[in-house]
Each structure stands twice: as structure tokens, then as C-alpha cells.
Amino acid sequence: MHADPEAMPYQSPAWLDSICAMGGYRDVSRFYDFGDGRHYVMPLVARSGLASVLNTASSLPPAWGIGGLIGSAAPHVEELSAIFADLRDLPYQRIKIRPNPRDGELWAAAKPNTVLAVPRLAHVLDLEGGFEHVWTKRFSGNTRNAVRKAEKLGVVTQSDSAGALLPVFYELLQRSFDRWAAKQNEPRLLTRLRGGMRDPIEKFQTIIDKLGEDCRIWAAWVDGRPAAAIFVLQQHNVNDARGAMDRALVGSTGANDLIQKLAIEHAANAGCRYYHMGESGTSSSLALFKARFGAAPYAYAEYIIEKLPITRLDAGLRAMVKRVIGFRDN
């Protein structure tokens, strides 16, 4: 992994161990050697206790971030084509790959016509030049002002990599579930149930145990109460894995801006090159928030290889259920 300058914490052995340790998945990663020192690993997991012909192999599974290739060099289109062919011949009913967004054009060029591509959008901040350069040249003036406002208002911040802030983060995450329920016109209990199944507190504790110092929670307090927190993974690149807040408390205090600034500064000072701010989807407000820190948008795709049209059927069923309950996508 350390030979690949683009590798993300999501692609690390410790992250794969976290997925498998939570139960329900087993490691089925693939290794590719094209000679001349060009070799690659595809982190891949499949459901435990399920026959391959009924199973889905994922890089990575839902709510576990981005997978795709890591290797000794940037892959050629011909090599990616060979990898697509290898994956197609595996016995799984379906294989899902979410590659590094920065490699989006390369994967698109190699995609066979038989592979389904689901469009995605992510934002990535380039830390080249160090934090002072990022602060003055990439942060917008509004973002710098928001950070200064938070500091002037006395917003208190703290970071921790041992799990002490996990209860604070998780309580804010549950409040975020409630906010999303109202925004999406979804029953609150259903949103909390889905959120708790996707992101139980045990999941985050497992990640902390497996990644150690490579995992850090940044939190902010407004008027003595927890207002915002982010769950960040940092190796030689960074993944902002999850964010949560109490919007009423955050208000216009700049608390979110301040903890993002501190996490970015920490990463830049540690010599990290890229700060992956995660999926933005179709949310213009989320995209704007990330762009204010200088993060650039990357259009890429999730690739699905399947023997039966499960994805289209699943999408149709989900759309029908959303119409019935009046669900509003963010």
C-alpha cells in the first residue's frame, strides 16, 4: 500500500480487517501481477456463509467507503481491461467496484460495454504546498472568515484517536439521523433504524481498535454542548469518513469549518497529499461546502458486473417504495 501515492486508508489491510471483524464478510481480495514490477491488489469482500453463485463481492461494501486498485504504479487501460475480464469470470452473482475518484477517467476508458456504470461525484482536496498554501490559496475567503469567527466566539475543539470522543460523535450522528428523516420525509424511527444498522457504534469502535493512531475524531462544542464532529482516517492520504452535527447548535458559529480546518492542517503537517472529503452526490449545498475548502469535484462511477439484472430491479423497487412513503432524496 505504501508504494502507491494515491492509496487511501479505506484500501488498507487494517480497514479490511475492520470490515471482516464486524462479521458478515470475508476477505476475497485479488492480486494481479503484470510483470516488470507492475502489480496490484483489489481489496474485495463477500458475504460470509453464502454460496458464491448467490453472493455479491464488493470493493467495498455499502457504508464502508471506496475500494478499487492499489499498486506499484498507475494502471494502464489495458491492465484495467484485463482486471475487468478476471472479475467477470469469477463465480459471484454480482461484483461492485468503487474506485478512487481521482482515477475516474482511467476506469471509464477501460469499462467493457457489458459492465454497468453508476455515476458518482466526490470531492478531493490537494494538500500540495503545505497547510499555509492551502489556507491562503485554496480555502475561500468565506471559509477563512468562518474559522476566525468560530475562534473568536470561543468554540472549543478537541481531537482523539483512542475512542474517548466516540460517544460524543455517535450522539451527534444520531441527531443527524433525525435531521435527515425530516429532510427526506421519512419516519424518524425508520431513519434511526437504517442508520443504526449501517453505522452501529460498535463499527466505529472496531475501526478505532484496528486503525489506532490512523483514526481520529475531531469535535467542537458551542456553549458547552457538543455541536459537530468528524471521523477521519489518516495515513499518507486522508478519508473524511463520516460527519455529524447538531445544526441548531452549529448555526452560524463556524464550528464545522473550524474542525475541518484543524483536520486538514493536521493532515498537511503530517505530509499527506490528498484529503478525500467523500461523496457529494447530487447535493449542491454539500458540494459547495467542500469546494469552499478548495476541494475539487471528481466525476467517477461505481462499476457493477452481474449475471442477472439485479441492480436495475433493486433500483426500481426502491423507487416504488420511496414514492409510496413520499421520500425525498437529498
Side-chain angles (χ1 to χ4, degrees):
M1 174 178 175
H2 294 291
D4 189 340
E6 294 279 353
M8 300 173 289
Y10 282 149
Q11 298 168 314
S12 69
W15 186 256
L16 208 65
D17 288 345
S18 299
I19 297 173
C20 295
M22 279 298 294
Y25 290 101
R26 56 189 173 90
D27 186 351
V28 294
S29 299
R30 305 291 288 175
F31 175 76
Y32 301 96
D33 189 343
F34 291 96
D36 297 327
R38 300 181 65 84
H39 50 264
Y40 305 92
V41 173
M42 173 80 74
L44 198 66
V45 298
R47 286 287 183 182
S48 300
L50 189 63
S52 296
V53 294
L54 302 174
N55 214 334
T56 295
S58 303
S59 185
L60 292 167
W64 281 99
I66 290 171
L69 286 182
I70 52 174
S72 57
H76 298 149
V77 170
E78 295 79 11
E79 292 167 341
L80 282 179
S81 296
I83 289 169
F84 269 124
D86 171 72
L87 296 173
R88 181 195 59 211
D89 290 341
L90 295 179
Y92 302 104
Q93 177 60 232
R94 183 165 58 163
I95 297 175
K96 303 174 73 174
I97 308 295
R98 281 179 62 195
N100 189 324
R102 283 180 38 81
D103 292 335
E105 292 183 2
L106 192 63
W107 281 81
K111 184 192 84 70
N113 292 334
T114 55
V115 172
L116 179 64
V118 180
R120 290 187 173 273
L121 180 71
H123 279 73
V124 183
L125 172 61
D126 189 342
L127 301 177
E128 185 178 21
F131 179 70
E132 189 60 30
H133 178 79
V134 173
W135 169 262
T136 58
K137 302 299 183 182
R138 298 203 174 102
F139 279 29
S140 71
N142 287 340
T143 300
R144 292 194 297 271
N145 288 337
V147 170
R148 294 184 183 113
K149 181 178 182 179
E151 293 171 336
K152 185 176 180 180
L153 289 173
V155 172
V156 175
T157 63
Q158 186 178 349
S159 72
D160 166 68
S161 61
L165 290 177
L166 180 57
V168 173
F169 166 79
Y170 202 74
E171 172 58 28
L172 287 168
L173 185 61
Q174 291 181 306
R175 294 184 207 174
S176 294
F177 292 159
D178 295 343
R179 186 178 75 255
W180 298 336
K183 186 176 182 180
Q184 295 167 169
N185 193 37
E186 183 180 38
R188 175 181 167 185
L189 288 178
L190 179 57
T191 306
R192 281 218 173 193
L193 177 63
R194 288 197 303 112
M197 291 176 63
R198 182 188 66 232
D199 286 330
I201 193 169
E202 294 82 8
K203 170 182 175 178
F204 297 103
Q205 185 60 61
T206 298
I207 294 168
I208 291 168
D209 292 342
K210 295 292 184 182
L211 272 73
E213 290 289 332
D214 292 338
C215 173
R216 185 169 293 272
I217 295 172
W218 297 83
W221 283 258
V222 173
D223 296 330
R225 292 180 290 174
I230 51 177
F231 194 90
V232 177
L233 314 173
Q234 178 176 313
Q235 292 175 343
H236 60 274
N237 289 306
V238 181
N239 286 116
D240 183 348
R242 203 70 89 238
M245 68 174 171
D246 184 324
R247 187 177 291 279
L249 272 177
V250 168
S252 61
T253 62
N256 258 335
D257 298 82
L258 180 56
I259 55 175
Q260 281 290 348
K261 175 261 185 182
L262 293 172
I264 291 167
E265 183 177 22
H266 185 268
N269 290 342
C272 298
R273 176 59 192 273
Y274 296 109
Y275 189 101
H276 289 255
M277 299 190 78
E279 290 286 320
S280 305
T282 58
S283 173
S284 57
S285 61
L286 185 56
L288 177 61
F289 175 77
K290 296 173 182 179
R292 288 199 293 104
F293 290 89
Y298 285 85
Y300 74 113
E302 176 179 14
Y303 296 99
I304 303 175
I305 304 167
E306 55 189 2
K307 294 178 170 56
L308 295 173
I310 297 173
T311 300
R312 290 187 175 88
L313 178 61
D314 178 70
L317 290 173
R318 288 174 184 270
M320 181 179 67
V321 172
K322 287 179 179 181
R323 286 195 298 271
V324 169
I325 68 173
F327 184 93
R328 293 189 295 265
D329 285 305
N330 290 334

